[in-house]
């Protein structure tokens, strides 16, 4: 097995991208303490982006829809939708404390502390740090603090030139080191006849000081452009993060009949346009809602903000409880209708094997349940508009659904009896 230079380059660029975004956010959020409400702004935008991605995915692959994907949309942190998103949200939460800590330390103390933490992270992880879990995103706080520190540090032209030379040396050492470790890895496997725990990607991992040197050099080169970037425009990074790290491959949205390299460039352009459209819609409409403005207006601390948000959410649920309870009942009715049709809570799948109907419906046919519930809700609204009686409408729709399911059950039993004969 040959180590692909294309794959190695993609891995390095991905790590550089993650660190660079963290540095930029830390750089722009270094001027003053920020409100915890910014977490709410980023989280809502992430949810909207995930809704668009999964909606397009369900339209393209409706058979893959399940209930766990709904949890990925509304709870991206708990469901490991994006470790990078989790890390950046945590960076914003702890920014006031980091701001106070850096203010107490001198420039020399900040430099030594950050260098020590960078080397310590690389030493402890031994280059095996991965971003497959949300909790691992907390490591981005280190790069966020680096960005805050660089915003208060002036770098000379000679310093930048020396770092530009250092980036060339770092890239050479990184690439040659990875290929050298890879050769040692296969030598030990083939010659000694056993699998060894040898990390050949030690130098290209996100904790590697070499990767950090490459990233910080690119950051310093583009510092003038970063300074012109408005803090209000930082939300444009959220859809980019979702597109880059979402569980489902978002490039299915823009696949074409072009060659692979041109299709990749075309996909990047389309996703950037989609990113701009999402953020424009978010700032123009969502953030201008009266209720959202009210939430964002106060300068509460985190606990007060969460308390006020939960209070307003509870008031909204109270106001719309009839519609929400109706929808919940129709979801239960839709789910029950499929259980009625099943054969003693068993369904036949591939190779004539049977499995539990409840498990099968929740894991594989959640989309069918949701679509059926939406159809029942539309029927309910039509009956309600004609008769204007809530209980009459909901009971009529429920009885029709149950009778229809029983009729299908009888029909399937008759077919089974005929096949058995």
């Amino acid at each position: 097995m040959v180590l692909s230079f294309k794959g190695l380059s993609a891995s390095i660029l991905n790590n550089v991208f993650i660190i660079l975004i963290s540095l930029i956010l830390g750089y722009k959020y270094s001027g003053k303490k920020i409100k915890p409400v910014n977490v709410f702004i980023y989280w809502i935008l992430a949810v909207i982006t995930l809704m668009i991605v999964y909606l397009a995915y369900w339209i393209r692959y409706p058979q893959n829809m399940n209930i766990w994907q709904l949890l990925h949309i509304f709870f991206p942190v708990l469901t490991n939708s994006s470790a990078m998103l989790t890390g950046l949200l945590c960076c914003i939460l702890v920014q006031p404390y980091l701001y106070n800590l850096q203010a107490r330390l001198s420039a020399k103390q900040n430099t030594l502390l950050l260098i020590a933490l960078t080397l310590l992270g690389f030493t402890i992880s031994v280059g095996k740090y991965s971003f497959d879990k949300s909790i691992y995103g907390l490591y981005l706080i280190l790069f966020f603090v680096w960005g805050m520190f660089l915003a208060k540090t002036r770098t000379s032209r000679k310093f930048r030139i020396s770092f530009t030379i250092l980036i060339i040396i770092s890239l050479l050492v990184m690439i040659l080191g990875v290929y050298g470790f890879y050769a040692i890895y296969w030598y030990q496997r083939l010659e000694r006849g056993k699998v060894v725990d040898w990390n050949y990607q030690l130098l290209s991992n996100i904790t590697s000081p070499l990767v950090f040197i490459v990233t910080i050099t690119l950051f310093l080169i583009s510092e003038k452009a970063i300074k012109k970037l408005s803090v209000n425009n930082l939300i444009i990074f959220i859809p980019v993060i979702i597109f880059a790290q979402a569980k489902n491959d978002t490039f299915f949205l823009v696949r074409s009949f072009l060659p692979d390299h041109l299709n990749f460039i075309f996909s990047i352009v389309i996703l950037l346009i989609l990113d701009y459209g999402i953020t424009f819609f978010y700032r123009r409409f969502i953030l201008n809602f009266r209720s959202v403005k009210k939430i964002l207006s106060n300068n509460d601390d985190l606990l007060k903000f969460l308390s006020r948000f939960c209070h307003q959410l509870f008031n909204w649920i109270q106001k719309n409880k009839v519609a929400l309870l109706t929808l919940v009942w129709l979801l239960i009715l839709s789910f029950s209708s499929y259980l009625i049709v099943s054969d003693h809570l068993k369904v036949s799948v591939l190779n004539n094997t049977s499995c539990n109907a409840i498990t099968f419906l929740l894991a594989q046919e959640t989309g069918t349940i949701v679509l059926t519930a939406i159809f029942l809700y539309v029927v309910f609204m039509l009956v309600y508009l004609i008769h204007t009686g809530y209980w009459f409408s909901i009971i009529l729709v429920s009885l029709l659904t149950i009778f229809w399911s029983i009729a299908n059950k009888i029909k399937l039993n008759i077919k089974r009896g005929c096949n058995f004969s």
Side-chain angles (χ1 to χ4, degrees):
M1 183 178 179
V2 180
L3 178 61
S4 169
F5 180 77
K6 181 180 178 181
L8 175 60
S9 302
S11 175
I12 295 173
L13 288 175
N14 179 66
N15 293 333
V16 169
F17 166 77
I18 294 173
I19 299 174
L20 186 61
I21 296 296
S22 306
L23 289 173
I24 293 173
L25 287 175
Y27 187 89
K28 301 304 295 185
Y29 279 128
S30 62
K32 61 179 182 179
K33 295 181 183 179
I34 58 177
K35 299 183 294 183
V37 74
N38 285 276
V39 175
F40 177 79
I41 296 174
Y42 283 10
W43 176 71
I44 292 295
L45 181 56
V47 170
I48 292 173
T49 308
L50 284 168
M51 288 176 67
I52 294 172
V53 171
Y54 275 102
L55 183 61
Y57 183 76
W58 292 334
I59 293 174
R60 179 67 178 85
Y61 306 105
Q63 70 277 8
N64 293 341
M65 182 180 181
N66 58 65
I67 195 171
W68 310 117
Q69 292 169 347
L70 295 176
L71 297 178
H72 279 296
I73 293 175
F74 296 103
F75 304 100
V77 174
L78 296 178
T79 56
N80 301 317
S81 292
S82 172
M84 187 176 178
L85 175 65
T86 303
L88 296 181
L89 293 180
C90 293
C91 289
I92 295 172
L93 281 177
V94 300
Q95 190 271 350
Y97 307 101
L98 298 174
Y99 182 86
N100 290 334
L101 177 61
Q102 282 197 332
R104 295 194 192 101
L105 301 177
S106 65
K108 186 176 181 179
Q109 289 173 330
N110 275 304
T111 305
L112 293 175
L113 179 61
L114 289 172
I115 292 175
L117 290 175
T118 304
L119 295 175
L120 181 65
F122 175 68
T123 305
I124 293 176
S125 66
V126 202
K128 292 185 177 181
Y129 203 88
S130 63
F131 272 72
D132 56 344
K133 297 288 188 301
S134 289
I135 190 66
Y136 297 149
L138 295 177
Y139 192 78
L140 296 182
I141 295 176
L142 174 61
F143 304 124
F144 184 85
V145 178
W146 266 109
M148 293 177 63
F149 173 70
L150 292 173
K152 302 172 184 177
T153 306
R154 293 184 179 180
T155 54
S156 62
R157 186 179 179 183
K158 291 182 179 179
F159 183 81
R160 297 187 183 189
I161 292 174
S162 61
F163 256 82
T164 304
I165 298 173
L166 194 59
I167 191 177
I168 299 174
I169 299 174
S170 299
L171 283 173
L172 288 174
V173 173
M174 191 189 313
I175 294 172
L176 293 176
V178 170
Y179 276 100
F181 289 149
Y182 188 74
I184 296 173
Y185 168 77
W186 277 104
Y187 171 78
Q188 292 182 341
R189 286 195 63 176
L190 296 175
E191 292 295 325
R192 300 184 181 182
K194 63 178 181 179
V195 179
V196 293
D197 188 17
W198 181 266
N199 180 25
Y200 59 87
Q201 294 183 332
L202 173 72
L203 300 179
S204 62
N205 189 259
I206 194 169
T207 60
S208 171
L210 297 178
V211 176
F212 181 71
I213 290 173
V214 171
T215 310
I216 203 171
T217 306
L218 294 176
F219 175 84
L220 293 174
I221 293 173
S222 56
E223 187 177 4
K224 290 184 178 180
I226 295 172
K227 283 183 178 179
K228 297 178 181 178
L229 186 65
S230 171
V231 174
N232 295 329
N233 292 329
L234 294 179
I235 61 173
I236 201 170
F237 290 130
I238 299 301
V240 172
I241 292 169
I242 297 299
F243 292 150
Q245 293 197 319
K247 290 292 183 182
N248 295 313
D249 181 15
T250 52
F251 286 99
F252 76 90
L253 294 168
V254 288
R255 283 185 182 138
S256 64
F257 298 101
L258 298 172
D260 289 342
H261 61 286
L262 294 178
N263 188 41
F264 178 77
I265 297 173
F266 177 73
S267 301
I268 294 294
V269 172
I270 296 299
L271 289 176
L272 289 176
I273 294 173
L274 185 60
D275 177 17
Y276 177 79
I278 293 172
T279 52
F280 176 80
F281 170 81
Y282 183 67
R283 281 186 295 208
R284 186 71 178 271
F285 299 103
I286 304 298
L287 294 181
N288 286 327
F289 284 159
R290 183 180 301 176
S291 57
V292 176
K293 280 186 174 181
K294 189 176 180 180
I295 293 175
L296 304 181
S297 59
N298 295 336
N299 294 319
D300 295 338
D301 58 23
L302 181 60
L303 293 178
K304 290 182 179 179
F305 168 72
L306 291 176
S307 175
R308 185 160 47 85
F309 174 73
C310 293
H311 178 70
Q312 293 186 1
L313 179 62
F314 179 76
N315 290 339
W316 180 84
I317 293 174
Q318 283 284 95
K319 187 178 179 179
N320 300 277
K321 62 181 178 181
V322 176
L324 293 174
L325 289 173
T326 302
L327 189 57
V328 170
W329 166 248
L330 293 177
L331 283 169
I332 296 173
L333 185 64
S334 172
F335 182 72
S336 302
S337 65
Y338 287 99
L339 294 182
I340 292 173
V341 178
S342 65
D343 184 18
H344 302 291
L345 296 181
K346 297 289 183 180
V347 292
S348 298
V349 291
L350 297 176
N351 301 324
N352 293 324
T353 58
S354 61
C355 66
N356 185 272
I358 298 176
T359 304
F360 177 77
L361 289 171
L362 291 177
Q364 300 293 333
E365 297 297 329
T366 310
T368 306
I369 296 171
V370 173
L371 293 176
T372 305
I374 294 173
F375 172 75
L376 293 176
Y377 192 81
V378 172
V379 174
F380 161 76
M381 291 301 298
L382 291 174
V383 176
Y384 182 75
L385 288 174
I386 295 172
H387 190 270
T388 66
Y390 175 81
W391 288 110
F392 174 82
S393 303
I394 194 69
I395 291 173
L396 179 62
V397 172
S398 301
L399 290 176
L400 288 175
T401 304
I402 293 171
F403 289 153
W404 184 266
S405 301
I406 293 173
N408 281 330
K409 174 71 172 179
I410 295 172
K411 182 179 69 175
L412 290 175
N413 287 337
I414 293 173
K415 284 186 176 181
R416 291 192 191 99
C418 292
N419 292 336
F420 182 75
S421 301

